Every structure is written in structure tokens, then in C-alpha cells.
């Protein structure tokens, strides 16, 4: 027997490309916070107007360094403002962003540079720069941090991209087709070359158009974010959920590694929603149980819901939220599906093992042997240079 699963609601209008999404939001929310990052232990916020001005500067200056439509930019860095603006400039400017894990060793970076056919690479700082081969086959290396000495001759400081360009700034690529590839994301891959998933504007934005019918996110929401952007859960699902709806992304300064640091930032930001994995929720709940004041701060009145994925959230942990009237949402998907396919109804009590119904636009078929087939505008264009897997 074959089981068919269809969404309860139809998919509405889908914004054709990321440039138009960004332009729409800078008009709607010019002075709202789009991103915040800790500098000297204090959150430094950037508005939509300033953010998009930087994106346009980068897109314009990239052209002077030879970056053309369809070119690839590998980004080898942990989450930070420079990475966010660069990726948006590349994707909204007609290029393809290729983010990779910030702490890959030299051999893996060499492998991915060669496999991806990237012409340009951006690195966070000295650690990443030292892991690049001296003869790395890229045209330019952009570096976010200030580097005093380097043997790389094609190194460009990132401030050269952000500065106000001479002459008129180019427009972003508002005519990019929905089916144009804008993001190449590598799966984790246990052996050999990881699969390179090619994703389009439509893949990413159709998902947000579908989710818009399920939850209530807006420009007043605050994300406390640590999920890495080289991975689909953080880089597509969480990040674009914020950007699409005009919500503010506050970078969690401990990158999710220290529960005490998360709660310290939580107290400052008072996030209205939180995306994480079960282990982190477990550690946070344990800390809150030992401190009543911390517990009160964590389960604050503005917290709309939490989202969990990657593994099953234990019932006793979800009960801690639901007993306080905070919905627990869960979903399922793959990098190849941009990534979300199903999501639970925030109005319904969570059931262990249930990952919800298909989001609008997505259809699922489950066959007797357990194979799950997905159809929808969120399904990737294909793996790069991997005909066998395709």
C-alpha cells in the first residue's frame, strides 16, 4: 500500500528571488533590526537600511574583482555579520554561495574547492587562512579579519568590499529566475566527497511562503541564533525564516556550545522563538531547574514557541514548555528539500514521534518498504557533479 500525504493549505504567492525579498523588507522595515552581534560584550545592532546598503556595496565591489553572474563564492567562516552580508550579496547579485564548515582541515577544504569549481573564497581569519593551500586554485581570497602578514598574493581585505564604491551602485539581480541556482550546500558525508546540493531561489522562498500559512512570525520577533549557516537547519530554515519575515537575528555569542552563555544572552535578548536540537534543550532545562530566577527568565511571556529537529525531543523536556503554554514545534526534512518537508501544528499538543504534516506546496508518498518520496518546489535542482546520485 502507498500512503499519500498532502498539505492542508495551498501554497500562496512565492517571491521570485532573494533580491526581491530583501528589497521588499528594506522598504517595509527600514529602521527595524535585522541582525545583532556582540562586540565588547554588548549587542551591536544593524538596521535593514544599513544592512542592505552594505549588501549593495559588496555586490558592486565584487564586480570590480571579476565576480560575474553564476560565479561561486565559497565561505569558510563561523556565523558573523560579514558572512551574512556577503552571502546575501552573492545570492541576490546573481552568484552562488558555497558555505562550508568553519573548522574543516586543509585536506577537506582543498577537496571541496576543487569539487565545487569555486572561483572565489572568503575566510574568517588567520585560522582558516592558514588551512588554505599556498597554491589554492581561486582567483581571489577575501578575509574578514585584519591580517598583518600573509603569503597569499591574491588576498583582499573584506573592508575593500564593504566600502562605498566609486560611481553608481549596481542594482541587485531583481530579474533572477526562480529556478536559478543561488546556494550550493554540502551534506555532511561520512565517506569521500560530500554530496553538493544545488538549491534555487524558488527552493528557499517557496518554503517560506508555505510556512507563512502555519506560524506567525513578523518584524517584531527576535531569534537567538547559534545554528551554523553552512548547515541547512541554520543556514536555510532558521536564517531565512528570520530574513523573510523581517525578524531580528541575534547571534548567540557562545555558538550554542555553552548552556550558561546561552542563558546569559537569553536574558539580554528575550527571544520570542528559539530553534535548537534536543541535547541543548535538555541542558538548558537542567540549568533552569536549579535556579528559580533563571527559570523565570527562560520561560518568559513573549516566548511564542520553540522549534526542535535533528532528533526526537524527549517528552519530559517538551512537557516543561507545554505545561507553561509554550508550543513545541517539530519538523522533518533534508538538505535536498531546502530542508523542511513537514511541520507540526503549533495549536496541537506535541506527540512523541510525530513530525507533522507536509507544509503547503509539498506532497509526500510513503511506500511499504518505508521509502519516503517528496515532491514540491522545495526539492533541489540536483547534486553537483554527481550523476550517479542524481
Amino acid at each position: 500500500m502507498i500512503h499519500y500525504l498532502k498539505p492542508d493549505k495551498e501554497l500562496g504567492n512565492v517571491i521570485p528571488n532573494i533580491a526581491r525579498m530583501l528589497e521588499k523588507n528594506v522598504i517595509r522595515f527600514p529602521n527595524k533590526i535585522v541582525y545583532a552581534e556582540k562586540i565588547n560584550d554588548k549587542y551591536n545592532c544593524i538596521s535593514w537600511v544599513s544592512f542592505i546598503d552594505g549588501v549593495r556595496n559588496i555586490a558592486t565591489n565584487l564586480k570590480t574583482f571579476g565576480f560575474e553572474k553564476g560565479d561561486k563564492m565559497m565561505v569558510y567562516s563561523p556565523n558573523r555579520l560579514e558572512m551574512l552580508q556577503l552571502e546575501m550579496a552573492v545570492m541576490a547579485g546573481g552568484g552562488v554561495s558555497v558555505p562550508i564548515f568553519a573548522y574543516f582541515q586543509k585536506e577537506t577544504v582543498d577537496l571541496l574547492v576543487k569539487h565545487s569549481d569555486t572561483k572565489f573564497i572568503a575566510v574568517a581569519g588567520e585560522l582558516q587562512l592558514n588551512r588554505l593551500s599556498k597554491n589554492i586554485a581561486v582567483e581571489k581570497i577575501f578575509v574578514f579579519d585584519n591580517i598583518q602578514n600573509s603569503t597569499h598574493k591574491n588576498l583582499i581585505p573584506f573592508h575593500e568590499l564593504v566600502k562605498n564604491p566609486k560611481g553608481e551602485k549596481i542594482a541587485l539581480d531583481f530579474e533572477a529566475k526562480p529556478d536559478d541556482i543561488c546556494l550550493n550546500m554540502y551534506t555532511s558525508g561520512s565517506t569521500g566527497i560530500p554530496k553538493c546540493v544545488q538549491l534555487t531561489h524558488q527552493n528557499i522562498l517557496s518554503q517560506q511562503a508555505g510556512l507563512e500559512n502555519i506560524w506567525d512570525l513578523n518584524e517584531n520577533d527576535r531569534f537567538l541564533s547559534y545554528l551554523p549557516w553552512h548547515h541547512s537547519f541554520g543556514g536555510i530554515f532558521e536564517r531565512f525564516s528570520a530574513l523573510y519575515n523581517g525578524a531580528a537575528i541575534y547571534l548567540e555569542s557562545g555558538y550554542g556550545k555553552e548552556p550558561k552563555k546561552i542563558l546569559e544572552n537569553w536574558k539580554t535578548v528575550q527571544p520570542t522563538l528559539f530553534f535548537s536540537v534536543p541535547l541543548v534543550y535538555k541542558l538548558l532545562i537542567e540549568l533552569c531547574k536549579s535556579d528559580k530566577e533563571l527559570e523565570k527568565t527562560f520561560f518568559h511571556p513573549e516566548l511564542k514557541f520553540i522549534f526542535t529537529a535533528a532528533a526526537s525531543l524527549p517528552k519530559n523536556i517538551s512537557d516543561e514548555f507545554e505545561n507553561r503554554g509554550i508550543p513545541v514545534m517539530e519538523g522533518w526534512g533534508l538538505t535536498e528539500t531546502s530542508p523542511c518537508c513537514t511541520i507540526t501544528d503549533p495549536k496541537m499538543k506535541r506527540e512523541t514521534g510525530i513530525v507533522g504534516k507536509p507544509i503547503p506546496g509539498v506532497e509526500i508518498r510513503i511506500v511499504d518498504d518505508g521509502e519516503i518520496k517528496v515532491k514540491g518546489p522545495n526539492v533541489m535542482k540536483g547534486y553537483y557533479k554527481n550523476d550517479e546520485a542524481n
Side-chain angles (χ1 to χ4, degrees):
M1 181 181 290
I2 297 175
H3 301 275
Y4 293 93
L5 300 172
K6 293 189 177 183
D8 293 333
K9 298 177 181 179
E10 295 293 319
L11 180 65
N13 292 330
V14 179
I15 298 172
N17 56 58
I18 287 166
R20 293 203 181 190
M21 179 202 77
L22 294 173
E23 188 72 9
K24 177 183 176 184
N25 280 356
V26 76
I27 292 169
R28 293 166 69 205
F29 319 122
N31 300 312
K32 284 284 187 180
I33 296 168
V34 61
Y35 181 80
E37 188 173 306
K38 268 193 170 178
I39 298 174
N40 297 326
D41 212 34
K42 183 179 179 182
Y43 272 107
N44 186 46
C45 303
I46 183 169
S47 70
W48 273 95
V49 165
S50 297
F51 179 78
I52 297 302
D53 192 51
V55 168
R56 291 194 188 110
N57 286 353
I58 294 166
T60 302
N61 289 321
L62 277 173
K63 302 295 182 186
T64 66
F65 289 110
F67 192 92
E68 298 176 353
K69 185 177 174 68
D71 279 350
K72 294 172 183 173
M73 172 74 72
M74 182 169 283
V75 188
Y76 181 31
S77 170
N79 300 1
R80 55 191 288 175
L81 174 62
E82 294 88 346
M83 179 179 182
L84 184 61
Q85 286 189 301
L86 177 62
E87 281 205 88
M88 291 307 113
V90 168
M91 296 166 77
V96 181
S97 180
V98 190
I100 64 170
F101 176 52
Y103 303 103
F104 271 145
Q105 295 298 326
K106 177 178 173 295
E107 295 75 17
T108 305
V109 178
D110 285 347
L111 183 72
L112 297 184
V113 166
K114 184 177 180 181
H115 178 264
S116 66
D117 296 319
T118 189
K119 288 185 178 181
F120 302 84
I121 186 167
V123 302
E126 199 166 345
L127 185 148
Q128 288 78 15
L129 196 59
N130 290 339
R131 293 182 182 181
L132 301 185
S133 295
K134 299 305 176 189
N135 59 347
I136 189 168
V138 294
E139 293 182 14
K140 295 285 185 294
I141 301 168
F142 300 100
V143 60
F144 299 153
D145 291 342
N146 293 322
I147 300 295
Q148 299 303 318
N149 298 299
S150 174
T151 56
H152 291 282
K153 295 180 180 178
N154 53 350
L155 193 70
I156 309 292
F158 188 70
H159 63 74
E160 291 294 320
L161 287 182
V162 183
K163 71 180 183 182
N164 205 29
K166 295 176 181 177
E168 193 172 335
K169 295 179 190 180
I170 65 161
L172 299 178
D173 190 3
F174 298 115
E175 303 308 314
K177 296 176 182 177
D179 203 36
D180 285 350
I181 295 166
C182 61
L183 179 63
N184 277 5
M185 190 165 271
Y186 280 93
T187 60
S188 54
S190 54
T191 57
I193 299 174
K195 293 186 180 73
C196 180
V197 176
Q198 300 178 99
L199 298 169
T200 67
H201 294 273
Q202 178 177 250
N203 290 155
I204 295 167
L205 296 173
S206 66
Q207 180 155 113
Q208 292 306 321
L211 292 168
E212 206 171 16
N213 293 312
I214 296 170
W215 56 26
D216 173 29
L217 297 188
N218 59 56
E219 70 278 13
N220 297 312
D221 280 310
R222 299 177 298 278
F223 285 68
L224 182 59
S225 172
Y226 76 85
L227 296 169
W229 294 335
H230 75 276
H231 187 274
S232 59
F233 189 15
I236 308 174
F237 188 65
E238 181 187 30
R239 183 169 56 163
F240 277 96
S241 291
L243 291 173
Y244 182 90
N245 293 288
I249 300 171
Y250 285 79
L251 183 67
E252 200 287 293
S253 59
Y255 291 95
K257 293 179 173 63
E258 303 172 52
K260 287 184 179 179
K261 179 72 75 174
I262 294 175
L263 290 172
E264 178 186 308
N265 288 319
W266 192 286
K267 187 175 182 179
T268 302
V269 175
Q270 292 285 279
T272 58
L273 37 91
F274 188 59
F275 289 29
S276 190
V277 296
L279 177 59
V280 172
Y281 285 119
K282 179 177 179 292
L283 295 172
L284 291 173
I285 293 295
E286 285 175 356
L287 278 175
C288 286
K289 282 185 173 181
S290 64
D291 186 328
K292 287 295 180 185
E293 199 58 39
L294 206 56
E295 183 178 12
K296 187 178 177 181
T297 299
F298 186 65
F299 297 106
H300 67 93
E302 288 187 80
L303 185 58
K304 287 183 177 180
F305 66 81
I306 64 157
F307 191 94
T308 181
S312 180
L313 185 70
K315 185 177 182 301
N316 66 311
I317 301 298
S318 64
D319 285 348
E320 293 289 340
F321 291 96
E322 293 193 328
N323 290 341
R324 293 170 173 84
I326 300 167
V328 175
M329 298 184 72
E330 201 159 1
W332 172 82
L334 309 161
T335 305
E336 291 87 342
T337 56
S338 311
C340 186
C341 295
T342 72
I343 200 166
T344 54
D345 188 338
K347 299 180 185 70
M348 296 178 67
K349 182 174 172 59
R350 176 182 178 267
E351 291 183 57
T352 303
I354 302 295
V355 290
K357 295 181 179 180
I359 65 172
V362 175
E363 295 180 26
I364 292 177
R365 183 167 67 182
I366 304 174
V367 295
D368 277 348
D369 66 0
E371 183 181 26
I372 303 171
K373 299 182 179 182
V374 178
K375 179 183 179 182
N378 62 326
V379 176
M380 67 170 181
K381 194 131 181 186
Y383 295 116
Y384 185 63
K385 286 166 59 173
N386 195 335
D387 290 337
E388 184 181 352
N390 286 331

